[in-house]
Amino acid sequence: MIRTFIIAILLSLSSAIPAMAQGSISKLVNSLENNKGCDIVYRENRDPATRKVTYSKRLITFKDKKLAQRFEDAFRKERENSVEYQSNEDKSASVYKIRFDDNKGHCSQYTLVIEGSGHDKCTLSAEIHNTANISRKSSPRHGSSGTTRTRYRRGL
């Protein structure tokens, strides 16, 4: 009985680790929403039947060396919890890409491009797919395409 309980706890904790890893990058991305030093383009698609977001993408540009370093550290730290990780670092630019997938319809991908050796300009792309929010009525088999909204905010 106790052994079964311990195994159940370990299994539940192991499934939460990828969500926690992705959560730290997600928190950094969300912290940029009200940052006046960022340019943000936000796009989302919603299920027409439920109005839940099924896809969202943020394209964020900023010039903050400390913030760029925090993102680099988060990408490296969360590498072991991702399903895909890529990095390319040289003197002129660094590019990082990380993808998470929970196999339950939620997939997210983050790409960070840092230009210049002094972190002169950073561009971050955060893309989230949530197919668990798609209703049967609005699935592609039923011919509905959903709704799309794009918002721009100039901060620099």
Side-chain angles (χ1 to χ4, degrees):
M1 173 92 172
I2 292 175
R3 185 173 149 207
T4 306
F5 180 71
I6 291 172
I7 291 172
I9 288 175
L10 290 175
L11 286 174
S12 65
L13 287 175
S14 67
S15 65
I17 289 173
M20 290 176 1
Q22 176 187 342
S24 65
I25 291 177
S26 183
K27 283 180 186 178
L28 279 172
V29 171
N30 290 336
S31 74
L32 299 178
E33 279 291 319
N34 297 317
N35 187 329
K36 303 226 186 273
C38 299
D39 282 342
I40 301 174
V41 177
Y42 180 79
R43 179 175 185 231
E44 67 183 24
N45 287 1
R46 292 181 177 268
D47 182 313
T50 63
R51 296 292 182 221
K52 290 183 178 180
V53 175
T54 58
Y55 170 83
S56 68
K57 184 169 187 174
R58 293 181 211 170
L59 188 62
I60 304 167
T61 57
F62 59 93
K63 296 178 182 180
D64 183 334
K65 293 177 185 182
K66 289 181 182 179
L67 187 57
Q69 187 62 51
R70 288 174 57 197
F71 272 108
E72 280 181 302
D73 294 344
F75 274 58
R76 288 183 186 123
K77 175 184 169 189
E78 296 174 8
R79 176 182 180 178
E80 65 187 41
N81 297 316
S82 67
V83 295
E84 180 181 351
Y85 177 84
Q86 297 176 5
S87 72
N88 181 22
E89 301 174 42
D90 62 31
K91 292 181 182 179
S92 63
S94 298
V95 179
Y96 302 92
K97 178 181 169 186
I98 192 165
R99 188 169 67 88
F100 301 93
D101 191 340
D102 69 358
N103 292 325
K104 296 177 186 172
H106 188 270
C107 179
S108 57
Q109 177 174 295
Y110 302 91
T111 305
L112 177 66
V113 179
I114 302 171
E115 298 175 47
S117 59
H119 294 70
D120 300 328
K121 181 181 177 186
C122 302
T123 304
L124 175 73
S125 170
E127 192 171 349
I128 299 169
H129 297 270
N130 196 350
T131 57
N133 282 343
I134 298 176
S135 69
R136 283 194 67 153
K137 291 180 184 178
S138 63
S139 68
R141 289 179 284 161
H142 294 74
S144 179
S145 63
T147 58
T148 302
R149 188 180 91 176
T150 304
R151 180 183 56 166
Y152 303 93
R153 194 196 82 215
R154 181 111 174 116
L156 295 174

